[in-house]
Amino acid sequence: MNSPVTAPFGRFDEAWPAVDRPELLAVSTAEALRAWEGPEPVESVLVVDTDPEKADTAVFCAAYDVPPDASANCVVIAAKRGQEVTFAACVALATTRVDVNRTVRKHLGARKASFAPMDTAVAETAMEYGGISPLGLPGHWPVLVDEAVAAAPHVLVGSGRRRGKVILPGRFLARLPHAEVVPGLAG
């Protein structure tokens, strides 16, 4: 295991390359990082060990001195066309809101789109609510990334568990399999 490193922001006791601390990640998140073949080095993805009781965005940012505009949320969307339901993930800065009713619905070619119910999101991702990560989602899901996230030097997102968060360059998220940067995704 590599030695701890310094996180680019926030007040954390320690940070590590996420591939070195799989116990802080959902199984699928750890697997996605182990299999990573993209142009960004996998070591640029850090993980921090945090209190699961402080996983919600506002509480987390206050407790760990993380600027809200450096925190990103990954939300699961259920898009319907007829009887068919398609799931997608949207990643947007915590200071913005995903435009589900127009931008996401239109982008996915759906008649109706909404945030997936918590139980559905947890079951479909095999991740914990409050920690859903864009890393390690089902392989056929579109991952829609807001342009502000993709342009950020570093953002903090879920690790797939309520305990622990990952910090990574925004451009890493834009290069995930099935990822697409969507202008106007959030505002």
Side-chain angles (χ1 to χ4, degrees):
M1 183 182 332
N2 289 335
S3 299
V5 296
T6 302
F9 54 72
R11 193 179 66 252
F12 304 104
D13 292 336
E14 295 178 304
W16 303 269
V19 292
D20 291 344
R21 297 297 305 267
E23 74 279 8
L24 295 175
L25 310 170
V27 171
S28 62
T29 304
E31 289 172 356
L33 290 173
R34 275 195 301 275
W36 178 251
E37 295 180 357
E40 298 296 323
V42 73
E43 295 80 15
S44 67
V45 180
L46 305 178
V47 65
V48 292
D49 190 8
T50 58
D51 181 347
E53 297 300 316
K54 297 178 180 172
D56 294 328
T57 304
V59 173
F60 185 91
C61 288
Y64 294 100
D65 199 24
V66 172
D69 61 354
S71 180
N73 291 323
C74 179
V75 295
V76 176
I77 304 297
K80 297 177 184 175
R81 184 169 193 83
Q83 297 300 316
E84 185 178 333
V85 177
T86 301
F87 292 101
C90 295
V91 186
L93 295 178
T95 54
T96 64
R97 294 186 63 137
V98 173
D99 182 4
V100 176
N101 293 320
R102 283 192 305 254
T103 306
V104 175
R105 182 184 56 76
K106 183 178 175 183
H107 188 82
L108 296 176
R111 187 167 174 264
K112 180 181 179 187
S114 59
F115 294 103
M118 178 180 66
D119 294 349
T120 302
V122 168
E124 293 292 327
T125 62
M127 296 182 191
E128 296 175 3
Y129 186 74
I132 292 177
S133 179
L135 304 167
L137 292 171
H140 60 282
W141 281 24
V143 178
L144 309 181
V145 180
D146 185 66
E147 57 195 344
V149 171
H154 291 91
V155 292
L156 178 134
V157 295
S159 67
R161 298 183 59 205
R162 284 185 68 84
R163 177 180 184 162
K165 301 285 185 186
V166 293
I167 300 172
L168 68 170
R171 65 186 176 273
F172 193 102
L173 293 173
R175 292 185 170 113
L176 290 173
H178 304 286
E180 186 175 347
V181 176
V182 179
L185 180 67

